[in-house]
Amino acid sequence: MNRNIFRKKPINDLINTDNSDKSLKRAIGPLSLIIMGLGCIIGAGIFIVTGIASANYSGPALVLSFIISAVACVFTALCYAEFASMIPISGSVYTYTYVAMGEVWAWMIGWVLIFEYLISASAVAVGWSSYIVGLLNSTGFILPKIITSPPCTGLINLPAFLIIALLTGILVLGIKESTRFNAVIVLINVFIILLFIIVGANFINPANYQPFMPYGWTGVIQGAAMVFFAYIGFDAVSTAAEETKNPQRTLPIGIIGSLIISSILYIAVAAVLNGMVPYNLLNNAAPVTFALEKVGANWAASIVSFGALFGLTSVLLTSLFGQTRIFYSMSRDGLLPGVFSKIHPNFRSPVLSTIIVGAVASIIAAFLPLSVIIELVNIGTLSAFIFLALSIIILRKQQPDIERKFKCPLVPIIPLVSIIFCVFLIFQLSSTTLERFAVSLVIGLTVYFAYGYRKSKLKDKKTVEPEDELHCELKGYKFNNSK
């Protein structure tokens, strides 16, 4: 068993799945992929995290915090881009870890990603519900608390349930329809952000930038650790690898392009926001709207407030999308029941997987309160980033001759920097979060040995190990290894 749990997925098996009856429809181009990435990144974070980080950590130097976090994310994005161009198959870090480190590690990361996307989707749905209820209240249309709150304070969070149900239906229709819907939402969201930047720039008071670093460099670094989580989401782009046209070229463009654009928007918002009002006034849940109201631009504040709803919708859609693709990949490998990898003959999407994920997420959002689940999302994502960087280093050493359309520069330096930064951020989280994460990993291992280990499609198959003597050529992918 000890050897079997570390069995690795041969890359040629992954490439073969691209022509199987369980392959997904390739319909996403580079522009759609960049838009998908923006939808993951510039959601609620740009409207919430900026104010809290500025007031409590960075002050006007928040722009430096965003720059530091952006650089750290670029290191991870370069690792993603290499793997995505080399293995253009659904599954993200789960698939990459399966190839480089073995089945049990792949399972653990897959398990972590399942909870990351599922909990994230449920949390965003609860936030979406709060936002829509607030907007309706401002118009005089009051929804009863019994249908807008979970048990203990109400009966059910119906708006959260309904938005997940709606987006699940859109995802069932297929990736082409889903990306079109997402594109409309993201473009509206970007327009709202640009509106704030343009309007807010007219109310900048240079005096508000003093003192520039009220908490010193320590505050700037702590602020960077916090706003790093505003960037989390670009990893969801890699889950669309199997549905992307010309993935070896398109995926690196989508991953890195969306990260660069979102970084520019974040830095611009931070600069304008801190110029409009003193940093110590920004410690609230809606700093962008607050700043506009503070300077008297109430008409713009109303538009921005409404636009934030679109940002939340986009994040929710991409979270549900990423979850279903992780389920799909693990199911196709036999580690989860086959129901999750069944493809609809017309839509070419994993319909049953999408419906099951949507049902579970909607139930969580409808009946559970929002508490500390965001930290669980963060630790899961950071763990995945660490395994991604480790996999880059390992595969460069073990299989250097694999064709890579895009190569992460300065390996192993850049992956090691990514690992160090992620480990540092993990230990900034509370001890309670670390304990809960450890418990979830124990549960995950239990499920693996009870089901995944016995049902794995690699169980009775000889896998390709890097130390084996072989030479095979498949669809332009070359493997030349010798002892």
Side-chain angles (χ1 to χ4, degrees):
M1 177 182 291
N2 288 339
R3 178 174 174 81
N4 287 340
I5 65 174
F6 296 108
R7 53 200 172 200
K8 298 178 182 179
K9 185 83 169 177
I11 293 182
N12 57 321
D13 280 9
L14 291 170
I15 304 303
N16 278 334
T17 62
D18 200 25
N19 290 326
S20 71
D21 58 355
K22 288 189 176 183
S23 63
L24 300 169
K25 181 180 179 181
R26 293 197 180 275
I28 308 177
L31 180 59
S32 295
L33 204 62
I34 289 175
I35 291 174
M36 177 184 290
L38 293 176
C40 302
I41 303 170
I42 57 171
I46 202 167
F47 297 107
I48 299 173
V49 176
T50 47
I52 298 172
S54 181
N56 299 321
Y57 301 100
S58 306
L62 181 64
V63 291
L64 298 181
S65 297
F66 272 115
I67 291 172
I68 293 171
S69 286
V71 171
C73 286
V74 166
F75 293 148
T76 302
L78 290 171
C79 295
Y80 266 110
E82 174 168 327
F83 260 122
S85 68
M86 181 172 57
I87 309 174
I89 301 299
S90 182
S92 187
V93 184
Y94 157 75
T95 299
Y96 310 151
T97 305
Y98 212 158
V99 169
M101 301 180 67
E103 186 172 279
V104 68
W105 295 115
W107 165 269
M108 296 308 295
I109 285 302
W111 181 260
V112 166
L113 290 173
I114 286 173
F115 278 96
E116 173 197 338
Y117 286 117
L118 192 62
I119 293 174
S120 176
S122 302
V124 173
V126 174
W128 188 95
S129 173
S130 298
Y131 221 96
I132 193 67
V133 168
L135 286 174
L136 291 175
N137 287 345
S138 66
T139 64
F141 189 82
I142 310 298
L143 291 176
K145 198 169 185 178
I146 193 172
I147 62 169
T148 60
S149 302
C152 294
T153 56
L155 178 63
I156 182 177
N157 193 331
L158 188 60
F161 180 91
L162 292 177
I163 187 59
I164 291 181
L166 172 64
L167 296 180
T168 298
I170 293 172
L171 286 172
V172 164
L173 295 177
I175 187 61
K176 192 171 184 179
E177 290 72 16
S178 301
T179 52
R180 284 176 177 172
F181 178 78
N182 186 59
V184 173
I185 295 176
V186 171
L187 290 176
I188 293 174
N189 194 29
V190 171
F191 169 78
I192 295 297
I193 293 170
L194 292 176
L195 175 67
F196 167 75
I197 294 172
I198 294 171
V199 174
N202 294 305
F203 296 96
I204 290 178
N205 180 0
N208 290 329
Y209 291 124
Q210 300 299 327
F212 186 65
M213 291 194 296
Y215 304 103
W217 276 106
T218 300
V220 172
I221 298 301
Q222 290 177 334
M226 183 173 190
V227 301
F228 176 84
F229 303 127
Y231 288 103
I232 288 177
F234 69 87
D235 56 312
V237 173
S238 64
T239 64
E242 202 164 325
E243 293 154 281
T244 302
K245 301 174 184 176
N246 191 14
Q248 287 85 358
R249 173 180 175 272
T250 303
L251 281 164
I253 292 174
I255 293 170
I256 297 174
S258 59
L259 183 58
I260 291 174
I261 294 172
S262 61
S263 298
I264 293 171
L265 291 174
Y266 271 135
I267 292 168
V269 167
V272 172
L273 183 66
N274 280 281
M276 292 174 67
V277 296
Y279 71 91
N280 58 341
L281 300 180
L282 294 172
N283 191 22
N284 63 78
V288 172
T289 303
F290 168 80
L292 289 170
E293 291 175 344
K294 190 72 175 177
V295 298
N298 294 320
W299 64 272
S302 299
I303 295 175
V304 170
S305 181
F306 178 72
L309 199 61
F310 289 92
L312 289 168
T313 302
S314 180
V315 172
L316 180 54
L317 180 67
T318 49
S319 294
L320 291 171
F321 173 85
Q323 168 69 95
T324 59
R325 271 49 182 180
I326 298 296
F327 266 138
Y328 165 79
S329 297
M330 295 181 73
S331 172
R332 191 168 59 182
D333 292 334
L335 302 183
L336 287 175
V339 65
F340 292 111
S341 57
K342 291 186 180 297
I343 302 298
H344 192 279
N346 296 325
F347 301 144
R348 302 303 299 168
S349 64
V351 172
L352 291 177
S353 174
T354 303
I355 292 174
I356 292 172
V357 167
V360 173
S362 62
I363 290 172
I364 293 174
F367 296 104
L368 294 180
L370 185 63
S371 55
V372 296
I373 58 178
I374 295 301
E375 283 205 356
L376 289 174
V377 174
N378 293 338
I379 194 171
T381 304
L382 290 166
S383 300
F385 287 177
I386 290 172
F387 274 80
L388 170 73
L390 285 172
S391 297
I392 285 288
I393 296 171
I394 291 171
L395 214 58
R396 281 285 190 97
K397 178 70 174 177
Q398 292 183 347
Q399 300 190 46
D401 297 325
I402 298 176
E403 183 178 359
R404 294 166 169 87
K405 298 287 186 181
F406 178 91
K407 297 184 74 171
C408 175
L410 299 176
V411 173
I413 295 175
I414 284 181
L416 285 174
V417 171
S418 177
I419 291 170
I420 292 170
F421 195 85
C422 290
V423 170
F424 170 76
L425 291 178
I426 284 176
F427 283 100
Q428 305 307 305
L429 302 174
S430 67
S431 58
T432 302
T433 298
L434 297 175
E435 291 168 2
R436 289 172 177 168
F437 184 65
V439 171
S440 72
L441 292 181
V442 172
I443 295 173
L445 278 174
T446 302
V447 175
Y448 170 70
F449 286 112
Y451 184 90
Y453 174 77
R454 296 185 300 104
K455 298 292 185 178
S456 170
K457 292 185 179 179
L458 290 185
K459 183 178 181 182
D460 301 316
K461 183 176 181 179
K462 178 176 174 60
T463 62
V464 179
E465 297 291 344
E467 62 269 17
D468 291 340
E469 291 185 344
L470 70 136
H471 172 79
C472 63
E473 181 171 337
L474 178 65
K475 292 185 179 180
Y477 286 79
K478 297 182 180 179
F479 307 78
N480 295 286
N481 301 283
S482 59
K483 287 186 178 179

